[in-house]
Amino acid sequence: MISRCPPLDRNSAYCNLIQSTHFADHCVIAEQEGRVVGWVSGHRPPSDRTSFFVWQVAVASEGRGKGLAKRMIQSLLDRRAQRGVTCLTTTVTDDNKASWALFHSLARDWDAPLERTALFEREAHFAGAYPTEYQARIGPFDLKKIQEAQG
């Protein structure tokens, strides 16, 4: 729909700028020697205030394999803006092995179940143009217990 309605912007950089200004308490970057090497954005869905939805996780090649994504997500959950969160949700395509590994690892670390369900289907929602997005839901978890375990 957006692509059929110029001049609406399909530019995700604009979306990221809006997220980082409107939802600053729900975004984090990681820097290494003055260079941004990681970004996580998300929000608390108005319809489910116990959930934190992870929109994007990006880690540059020099930051990979060091647990950076997990630390950024944890730092977001440690913020006062996330008080009351008992589950984390996101959407992931089936072929995104790195994201599935990240979210399975978080579920193990937090001793919480991970449920996977189709949310936006290839044919029904994307007219075959994009793969199915599966919702990953981790929780319930005890955020205070997780924070105490981290020291």
Side-chain angles (χ1 to χ4, degrees), residues 64-84:
R64 293 182 188 151
K66 301 174 184 173
L68 182 58
K70 286 171 74 170
R71 290 194 315 272
M72 288 188 295
I73 290 171
Q74 189 61 56
S75 76
L76 287 171
L77 293 179
D78 289 344
R79 294 179 181 177
R80 189 163 71 207
Q82 275 56 268
R83 257 193 218 146

Side-chain angles (χ1 to χ4, degrees), residues 104-119:
H104 279 287
S105 179
L106 286 168
R108 279 190 306 274
D109 289 355
W110 298 342
D111 193 28
L114 186 151
E115 296 174 4
R116 172 188 160 134
T117 55
L119 184 63

Side-chain angles (χ1 to χ4, degrees), residues 82-138:
Q82 275 56 268
R83 257 193 218 146
V85 166
T86 60
C87 71
L88 182 139
T89 59
T90 192
T91 61
V92 184
T93 57
D94 194 43
D95 63 347
N96 190 333
K97 304 299 182 208
S99 288
W100 284 112
L102 167 65
F103 294 110
H104 279 287
S105 179
L106 286 168
R108 279 190 306 274
D109 289 355
W110 298 342
D111 193 28
L114 186 151
E115 296 174 4
R116 172 188 160 134
T117 55
L119 184 63
F120 300 118
E121 296 181 7
R122 177 184 184 103
E123 296 303 324
H125 298 101
F126 300 126
Y130 301 101
T132 297
E133 289 278 347
Y134 292 88
Q135 178 175 273
R137 179 182 173 91
I138 302 171

